[in-house]
Structure formats: C-alpha cells, structure tokens
Amino acid sequence: QVYFNQVAGRFDQKYGPGRSWQAFGQVLLRLIPPLDIADLGSGEGLIGELLANNARKVICVDNSKNIVRFGQKKVKKAGLKNIQFSLGDIENIPLKSKSVDVALFSHALHHAQHPEIALSEAHRILRPEGQLIILDLLEHQFENAKEIYGDYWLGFPINTLYEWVETAGFKDIEITEAAREEEPPHFTTLLVIARK
C-alpha cells in the first residue's frame, strides 16, 4: 500500500515485473471473438503470432521471401497451426475478395509506394462490416528513416490518411494518437480504425 501510494499518478511510467505489452495484449485478445485476420506487411509475424492465440486464422502477408521463410519456420516450431505466411505485396494482396474479418497494417503503409492502392486492396479482401486497423507514424521530418528503416514515406498527415481510407470505401473512420516517443525524433504513432 505504501509503494502504490508513492507511485500514484506515475505508475504507468515505472517498471513493474511482468508488465509488458505482450502480457496486456494477451488480456485484450481474450475480449474479442475468434476472427480471420490478414496481417498485411507482417514482417516476421510478431503481431500475427500474438493474434493467433485467439484468432480463427491469421494470414501474414509480406513481400520478402526470406522473411516469409523465416516466419513459416518460426510458427511451425511454435506449433501454431492457425497462422500462415504468404508471399505477396500489400498493393496486390494474394487473398480472395471478402475472405477476412480484419485487415491490419502495423507500420507497413509507410513502406508502400502507393498506400491508397494498399487500402483499396484491404477493402477488397474484407467481408461486409469487416474492420480496417492501421498503426503508422504521423508525418515527421526524420529523413534518415528512409535509409535506416527502408521507409518510403516519412509518416502521414492525419487528413491524408483519412482521405485515403475514405476514398477506399471505408466508413466510421476514427484516427487517434496511440503513442508518442519521449526521445527525439519523437515519433508519434497513429491508430486508424474504420469499417467496410
């Protein structure tokens, strides 16, 4: 009781044993029904693996053969049977129309040459009332991101993202600031949620 009284108001800024985003993610996943999820621009499938704990099926799509190969080995070793990796581009998603409930872009859109095409593709693969979820950076001026991280875009202005999502055919669009890094260059992550 003494400890908690001392850290009141700044508890979320202090280290606590076992308080990780993975653990919190596991809790949140138990609150949603099993869904078919497309993790678009998935990389090695870090989020896909987490989602697979409660999803009906997760399809991780990435355009790197090496990443897809690595992801396939990793999930096989972990014994996850409801997650698969597919080689493909987020601007030409190798999934059938109306085949998933959720289309997720987690820090992937800023790697796309034409994000608006990727968003139209996400709309195509979603079932009616399916959900689009985007985590990506707010527009920034850290030019080195192109060389260091292979970024094509330096994040996005909120109004541009909104316009692209709306033009792709989505409705009930919400864009909020999900996180802001304390260290320079103070990357800010946006969360976009919309419905088909």
Side-chain angles (χ1 to χ4, degrees):
Q1 197 173 20
V2 170
Y3 170 75
F4 289 109
N5 285 337
Q6 288 173 343
V7 298
R10 53 194 175 86
F11 185 66
D12 63 340
Q13 299 166 8
K14 293 188 70 70
Y15 168 76
R19 295 177 72 232
S20 67
W21 72 266
Q22 291 99 330
F24 293 140
Q26 292 288 347
V27 172
L28 296 174
L29 284 170
R30 298 308 190 269
L31 302 176
I32 59 172
L35 301 166
D36 295 324
I37 301 169
D39 183 1
L40 304 168
S42 64
E44 295 172 355
L46 184 65
I47 289 184
E49 278 187 73
L50 186 59
L51 293 170
N53 285 293
N54 207 50
R56 189 178 313 123
K57 179 174 62 177
V58 178
I59 305 109
C60 293
V61 177
D62 201 275
N63 66 357
S64 164
K65 287 180 184 175
N66 289 344
I67 281 180
V68 167
R69 201 175 303 122
F70 178 86
Q72 287 169 330
K73 287 179 185 173
K74 193 166 72 154
V75 297
K76 186 176 180 182
K77 187 175 179 182
L80 293 170
K81 305 221 184 294
N82 62 337
I83 181 170
Q84 67 185 63
F85 278 78
S86 183
L87 182 65
D89 196 302
I90 61 174
E91 294 181 30
N92 186 19
I93 301 169
L95 298 177
K96 292 179 183 174
S97 297
K98 300 177 184 173
S99 61
V100 295
D101 303 301
V102 177
L104 168 67
F105 293 99
S106 179
H107 296 280
L109 268 187
H110 63 253
H111 293 289
Q113 196 168 356
H114 304 101
E116 63 277 25
I117 293 175
L119 290 167
S120 293
E121 275 289 276
H123 189 273
R124 178 186 65 78
I125 67 169
L126 279 169
R127 295 177 178 131
E129 299 299 314
Q131 194 167 48
L132 170 73
I133 301 174
I134 303 167
L135 281 173
D136 219 306
L137 298 176
L138 178 65
E139 187 177 36
H140 60 85
Q141 304 305 316
F142 187 64
E143 287 283 342
N144 291 345
K146 291 182 177 183
E147 186 181 330
I148 298 171
Y149 308 115
D151 293 0
Y152 192 86
W153 297 82
L154 297 178
F156 305 102
I158 290 174
N159 58 342
T160 300
L161 263 181
Y162 191 98
E163 185 182 313
W164 285 342
V165 170
E166 188 176 48
T167 300
F170 290 96
K171 56 190 176 185
D172 300 333
I173 305 163
E174 292 177 34
I175 302 180
T176 55
E177 188 177 301
R180 184 172 191 273
E181 294 182 2
E182 292 182 15
E183 300 295 318
H186 306 291
F187 290 124
T188 299
T189 300
L190 298 174
L191 170 64
V192 182
I193 297 181
R195 198 160 45 88
K196 182 171 179 178

